[in-house]
């Protein structure tokens, strides 16, 4: 039986990053992946969605430029070419991962893995069942879309984020069930392709996990883009007649309404992939694997990282956890630190936040004051004709420590890292107000909001 110091199960951003780090630290490492390297993030998540959102941005920009006196002919688009570019982006990045694993001398097995208590990993390869043994195991098997039990749904050809990227024709209309981050990103993509988009959300607002001011702004802009947003609505049944799909939604008062559409996308959350751990007596935390701060499960030498442990369910968090698990698997003693986790929504306008949300600050009863600065008077935003947005800071009152930052607007997903650095280094509002920001830039809004918090704003 082939033996390894570390066997990683799952080749997504949690798993492949863990494998590379374990190899860098001197381990003999194997990685088992049943589908494609890169996992959900690269193949069915972050990267394909951001590629299509870039197309959406280009289409919107061309339309907008008419108002600036820049005329082109009517905008036409080829879904086939857009999807081909998306596939090319994925392939480029996937071949990069393959090279990195090769460089790290990591053995890659392509098959479904199952781990037992003795740390034997059985892998169902195309031709044979192979068993390998690991001194340590890192489980990084991620998750897949959750399909809520909606009566009639089995009879309807619905899409999830796993299948929607394979569309070959632009639908005339789509109902997106779920107004979370994934739902609103797809709504933006389809609206730019002139698809009639309806979002059905059970809660009282879209992106419930994000700041309420940011959600309010996004809702306003999505509505301007003719996206219909139905909140406090539950899908109670579905049916299909030929190609036509119908969805019955119910309001809190019990009233029902039928929506007709060509496509349905279910974006109602995700659930963990547990096939690798079925033979293990592993302690769970609800649906997810429980781990300690060293990313170790209740079984010594078996670690778990990424979406399989629940929590943030973000690619960069999966990778950060993978680095910790890898270090510990080769004998170090490292702890995960979740203090600074940037969170991004890649719609237009973008939304980005880091540190505590205002709700969290309130829950912890930390004395704080909040300040908000609108991008409507920011020079760069006006020059770009992208003034929808704001920067909001939550600052601890006694020492002025920055506790949380929320940004909405153009390019804020790139800008949030500056705030991450401030929070990581326990920076204060005075330091932020003293930072010289480039002019013109959206980043100047950080200088302005910090000044405004102190009652010394210049353009406020
Ligand atoms: C549409 C969409 C957009 C997203 N956008 C973003 C974004 O912009 N930013 C962000 O941070 N996050 C985003 N996410 C979330 C992100 O994709 C996940 O948080 C991330 O992929 C989790 O990484 P992971 O390594 O834990 O799991 P995964 O990426 O899910 O990888 C797990 C891998 O394990 C494999 N596997 C499962 N079981 C077995 C087994 N028994 N044997 C062998 N292999 C197995 C799977 O095939 C899979 O490849 C998005 C998700 C979706 C669906």
């Amino acid at each position: 039986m082939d033996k390894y110091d570390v066997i990683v199960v799952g080749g997504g951003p949690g798993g492949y990053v863990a494998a590379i780090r374990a190899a860098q630290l001197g381990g003999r490492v194997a990685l088992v992946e049943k589908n494609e390297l890169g996992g959900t993030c690269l193949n069915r998540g972050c990267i394909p969605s951001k590629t299509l959102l870039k197309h959406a941005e280009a289409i919107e920009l061309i339309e907008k430029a008419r108002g600036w006196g820049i005329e082109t002919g009517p905008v036409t688009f080829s879904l086939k070419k857009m999807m081909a570019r998306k596939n090319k982006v994925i392939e480029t990045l996937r071949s990069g991962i393959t090279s990195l694993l090769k460089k790290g001398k990591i053995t890659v097995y392509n098959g479904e893995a199952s781990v037992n208590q003795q740390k034997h990993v059985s892998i169902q390869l195309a031709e044979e069942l192979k068993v390998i043994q690991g001194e340590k195991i890192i489980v990084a098997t991620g998750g897949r879309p959750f399909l809520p039990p909606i009566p009639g749904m089995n009879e309807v050809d619905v899409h999830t984020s796993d299948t929607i990227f394979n569309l070959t024709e632009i639908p005339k209309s789509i109902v997106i069930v779920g107004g979370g981050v994934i739902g609103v990103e797809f709504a933006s993509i389809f609206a730019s392709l002139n698809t009639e988009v309806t979002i059905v959300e059970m809660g009282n607002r879209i992106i419930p996990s994000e700041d309420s001011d940011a959600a309010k702004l996004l809702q306003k802009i999505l509505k301007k883009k003719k996206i219909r947003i139905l909140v406090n609505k539950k899908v109670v049944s579905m049916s299909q007649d030929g190609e036509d799909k119908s969805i019955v939604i119910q309001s809190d008062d019990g009233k029902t309404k039928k929506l007709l559409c060509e496509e349905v996308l279910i974006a109602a959350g995700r659930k963990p992939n547990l096939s690798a751990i079925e033979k293990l007596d592993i302690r769970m935390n609800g649906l997810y694997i429980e781990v300690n701060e060293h990313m170790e499960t209740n079984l010594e030498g078996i670690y778990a990282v990424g979406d399989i442990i629940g929590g943030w369910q973000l690619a960069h968090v999966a990778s950060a956890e993978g680095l910790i698990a890898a270090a510990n698997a080769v004998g170090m003693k490292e702890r995960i630190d979740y203090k600074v986790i940037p969170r991004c929504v890649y719609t237009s306008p973008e939304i980005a936040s880091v540190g505590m949300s205002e709700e969290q600050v309130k829950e912890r009863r930390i004395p704080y004051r909040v300040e908000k600065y609108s991008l409507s008077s920011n020079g760069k935003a006006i020059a770009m004709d992208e003034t929808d947005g704001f920067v909001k800071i939550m600052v601890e009152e006694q020492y002025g420590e920055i506790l949380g930052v929320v940004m909405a607007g153009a390019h804020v997903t790139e800008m949030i890292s500056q705030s991450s650095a401030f929070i990581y280094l326990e920076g204060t509002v005075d330091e932020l107000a003293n930072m010289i920001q480039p002019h013109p830039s959206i980043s100047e809004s950080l200088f302005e909001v910090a000044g405004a918090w102190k009652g010394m704003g210049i353009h406020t």
Side-chain angles (χ1 to χ4, degrees), residues 9-16 32-47 49-50 111-114 140-144 161-162 165 181-182 185-186 270 273-277 305-308 312-318 344 346:
V9 182
Y16 86 78
V32 192
E33 168 54 56
K34 68 174 178 177
N35 292 321
E36 304 94 350
L37 288 172
T40 306
C41 176
L42 175 53
N43 300 289
R44 299 170 294 283
C46 329
I47 297 297
S49 58
K50 268 79 255 181
E112 180 150 16
S114 173
T141 49
R144 60 185 187 281
S161 56
D162 278 1
F165 292 112
V181 175
I182 293 176
E185 287 190 356
F186 278 112
R270 297 181 57 80
N273 291 325
L274 299 171
S275 66
I277 56 152
V305 302
D307 283 11
I308 190 75
W312 294 93
Q313 310 228 8
L314 291 168
H316 42 290
V317 178
C344 297
Y346 295 81

Side-chain angles (χ1 to χ4, degrees), residues 171-191:
K172 286 197 186 65
S173 56
I174 188 164
V175 170
I176 300 177
V177 179
V181 175
I182 293 176
V184 296
E185 287 190 356
F186 278 112
S188 302
I189 292 168
F190 283 108

